[in-house]
């Protein structure tokens, strides 16, 4: 009996320690302190109306059913301060302007990309995460914030997996919701804000607790599922997410069959959006063609509702199937607005004057070393995927065996397979969908018991898109226009990465598709000169190296390039054979600085006109390594 009591006491002590540790990290998450900028500078990439439309136009995502007024009313876990306060959400990388005020499109005065939409049946307003949340950047310098519209977000948003150190918006939101629900006084204050004069109504109060608990359970179930299955072993940290992996796990695992979950160990940066409407193919691996289908797939991954099966697991009647919360009119408005977005212009008054003599030399070096892959190639009308798109840029997709950068993203997209037979598709039905398989088999080769993520998403988004158009009364020429230039839902699977044009690239650190190189100077250096570990989460900009500052600071995230998915190899300039990721000759430090100076002006014709002609050496493929090895073996 005494031994039993000792064991009980020991268990209680251990439980108390665990609770104390949990409380400590909830109160003190591993995130940077928020510094309110003195001002926010906008770089005249578009007008204010376009900017606000982009920031706060909903896509139809639902964030587990979280309601807008709940988020506005929610308190922080251990105080009564608003959860949405800038000094709280700003710690997770979400963007505020200290001068912003509530508006019709942003009544809660939330950060960029947190919008709302109203459900047409219930009238409930839901929190909606827009594309602006991930595709808006900010650079800080000497107290000033430079907003990069369409740039790469540096927030820690996606992860809900519980970790002791915390550090993501998802974890913080879950903690605030849990402590609100289980703390009676906190919930009463919450209910008073949400229900107003109706908060004394016991029936309304109980209904609010029930509905709130359902959303809290949904967050908890996702966190436990992701943690238990170990789905995301490579920590993403600020500015990265395994986009394809998360979308695939959400769509194929959560919604169709738990056997479809796959390890997602390939975090990528959020790509910048200016000029993307001109690209022949989009996504890091050049796998998607149609704008509307791309946006619907992204919205499904971020949490748009989708009706496939009943609560009992049976397919719902055909007249209910594929109904979703995606908002095609709003998606089209965002896509059209993005066509007006210009690359950011280097702010000389803040970051320093451009050295045009050095930039002139850099232009010649760019033509020799970079233009072969990165220069846009406008296509004549008869060779365009979309004849009405002018210009249409054909972009190179460089195989991973050549570019040498971390292959996880491209390999996972090509290799992961999913069983979608529960959807009951037949090849006859699929042939009626506006999907074009490019370069890798035909519909007859598609195995619905083992379909790739790209193909599976293409067909699923085709059904969702058709249903959304039908519900919105859109058809014919209007549908083709809203699809984007009348394009079909093209899909291809390449083990490579797209070499996009570099206009405005200076404003999008860190670099490579997985954010594993902190600045442009290191990107132009041999791998041996690149940092193998560096700290991110600090928005402070280094205008000389051209990247975020990476020294240690309180609350930083350490990006370790030795971890799977984080490799900083490849895209290397080094003398010797062009293999193993070596794509160009060694560049001296002076040549690197010259190239960086040119990248500051690239894409702005008035700046490029100030450059002086410098002869460029022709691009060469480098030494013939196979012949060199043969000669060495012969000797």
């Amino acid at each position: 009996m005494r031994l039993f009591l000792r064991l009980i006491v020991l268990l209680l002590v251990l439980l108390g320690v665990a609770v104390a540790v949990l409380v400590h990290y909830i109160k003190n998450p591993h995130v940077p302190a928020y510094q309110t900028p003195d001002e926010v500078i906008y770089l005249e990439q578009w007008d204010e109306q376009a900017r606000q439309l982009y920031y706060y136009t909903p896509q139809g995502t639902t964030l587990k059913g979280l309601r807008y007024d709940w988020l506005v009313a929610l308190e922080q876990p251990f105080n009564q301060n608003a959860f949405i306060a800038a000094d709280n959400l700003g710690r997770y990388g979400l963007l505020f302007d200290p001068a912003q005020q509530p508006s019709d499109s942003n009544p809660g005065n939330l950060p960029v990309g947190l919008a709302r939409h109203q459900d047409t049946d219930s009238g409930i307003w839901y929190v909606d995460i827009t594309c602006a949340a991930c595709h808006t950047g900010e650079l800080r310098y000497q107290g000033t914030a430079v907003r990069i519209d369409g740039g790469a977000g540096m927030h820690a948003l996606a992860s809900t997996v519980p970790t002791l150190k915390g550090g993501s918006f998802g974890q913080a939101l879950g903690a605030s919701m849990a402590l609100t629900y289980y703390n009676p006084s906190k919930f009463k204050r919450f209910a008073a804000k949400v229900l107003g004069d109706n908060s004394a109504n016991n029936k309304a109060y109980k209904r609010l607790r029930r509905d709130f608990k359902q959303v809290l359970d949904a967050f908890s179930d996702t966190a436990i599922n992701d943690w238990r299955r170990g789905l995301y072993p490579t920590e993403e940290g600020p500015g990265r997410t395994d986009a394809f992996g998360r979308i695939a796990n959400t769509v194929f695992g959560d919604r169709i069959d738990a056997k479809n979950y796959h390890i997602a160990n390939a975090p990528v940066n959020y790509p910048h959006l200016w000029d993307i409407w001109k690209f022949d193919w989009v996504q890091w691996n050049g796998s998607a063609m149609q704008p509307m289908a791309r946006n619907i797939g992204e919205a499904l991954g971020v949490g748009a509702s989708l009706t496939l099966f009943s609560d009992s697991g049976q397919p719902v009647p055909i007249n209910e199937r594929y109904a979703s919360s995606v908002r095609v009119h709003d998606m089209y408005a965002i896509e059209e607005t993005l066509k007006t977005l210009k690359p950011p212009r280097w702010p000389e008054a803040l970051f320093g004057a451009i050295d045009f003599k050095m930039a002139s030399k850099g232009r010649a070096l760019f033509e020799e070393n970079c233009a072969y892959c990165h220069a846009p190639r406008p296509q004549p009308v008869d060779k365009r995927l979309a004849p009405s798109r002018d210009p249409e840029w054909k972009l190179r997709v460089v195989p991973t065996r050549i570019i040498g950068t971390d292959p996880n993203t491209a390999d996972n997209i090509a290799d992961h397979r999913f069983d979608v037979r529960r959807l009951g598709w037949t090849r006859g039905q699929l042939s009626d969908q506006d999907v074009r398989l490019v370069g890798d088999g035909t519909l007859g080769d598609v195995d619905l018991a083992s379909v790739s993520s790209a193909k599976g998403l293409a067909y699923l988004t085709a059904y969702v898109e058709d249903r959304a158009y039908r519900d919105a009364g859109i058809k014919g020429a209007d549908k083709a226009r809203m699809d984007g230039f009348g394009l079909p839902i093209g899909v291809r699977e390449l083990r490579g990465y797209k070499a996009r044009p570099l206009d405005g690239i200076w404003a999008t650190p860190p670099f490579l598709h997985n954010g594993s190189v902190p600045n442009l100077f290191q990107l132009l250096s041999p791998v041996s000169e690149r940092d193998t570990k560096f700290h991110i989460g600090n928005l402070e900009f280094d205008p000389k190296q051209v990247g975020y500052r990476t020294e240690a600071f309180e609350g930083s995230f350490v990006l370790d390039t030795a971890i799977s998915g984080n490799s900083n190899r490849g895209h290397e300039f080094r003398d010797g054979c062009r293999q193993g990721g070596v794509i160009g000759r060694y560049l001296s430090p002076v040549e690197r600085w010259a190239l960086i100076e040119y990248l500051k002006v690239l894409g702005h014709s008035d700046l490029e006109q100030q450059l002086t002609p410098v002869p460029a050496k022709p691009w060469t493929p480098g030494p013939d390594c196979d012949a060199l090895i043969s000669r060495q073996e012969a000797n």
Side-chain angles (χ1 to χ4, degrees), residues 255-257 306-316 422-423:
R255 301 183 189 276
I256 298 176
D257 193 329
L306 174 61
T307 302
L308 295 174
F309 303 100
S310 67
D311 292 340
S312 63
Q314 298 302 310
V316 298
R422 287 190 67 207
L423 296 175

Side-chain angles (χ1 to χ4, degrees), residues 11-75:
L11 288 173
L12 289 174
V13 169
L14 291 176
L15 179 61
V17 170
V19 170
V21 170
L22 181 62
V23 169
H24 170 78
Y25 281 103
I26 292 176
K27 290 185 70 174
N28 304 284
H30 189 78
V31 290
Y34 180 68
Q35 300 292 327
T36 303
D38 298 332
E39 66 172 323
V40 177
I41 294 176
Y42 298 89
L43 299 180
E44 298 183 356
Q45 295 175 261
W46 47 12
D47 60 36
E48 183 62 22
Q49 182 179 357
R51 177 179 294 112
Q52 293 302 316
L53 183 151
Y54 173 65
Y55 284 177
Y56 297 113
T57 297
Q59 300 180 105
T61 62
T62 58
L63 200 60
K64 308 293 183 185
L66 182 66
R67 302 184 188 183
Y68 192 84
D69 58 341
W70 294 1
L71 180 62
V72 173
L74 199 63
E75 296 175 352

Side-chain angles (χ1 to χ4, degrees), residues 28 52 183 195 211 231 261 280 356 377 398 407 419 458 468 494 500 527 529 557:
N28 304 284
Q52 293 302 316
N183 182 332
L195 298 176
D211 293 345
L231 294 181
Y261 288 117
D280 57 348
F356 284 95
R377 293 179 290 164
V398 185
D419 186 345
L494 304 175
R500 63 180 300 156
V527 169
E529 297 180 25
F557 176 87

Side-chain angles (χ1 to χ4, degrees), residues 291-292 329 332 335-336 339 469 474-487:
M292 181 60 76
H329 279 296
Y332 177 68
E335 195 71 26
E336 287 297 293
K339 291 179 181 179
Y469 280 144
I474 299 166
K475 55 187 177 181
D478 288 336
K479 176 183 181 299
R481 172 176 52 83
M482 292 177 68
D483 281 343
F485 306 104
L487 286 165

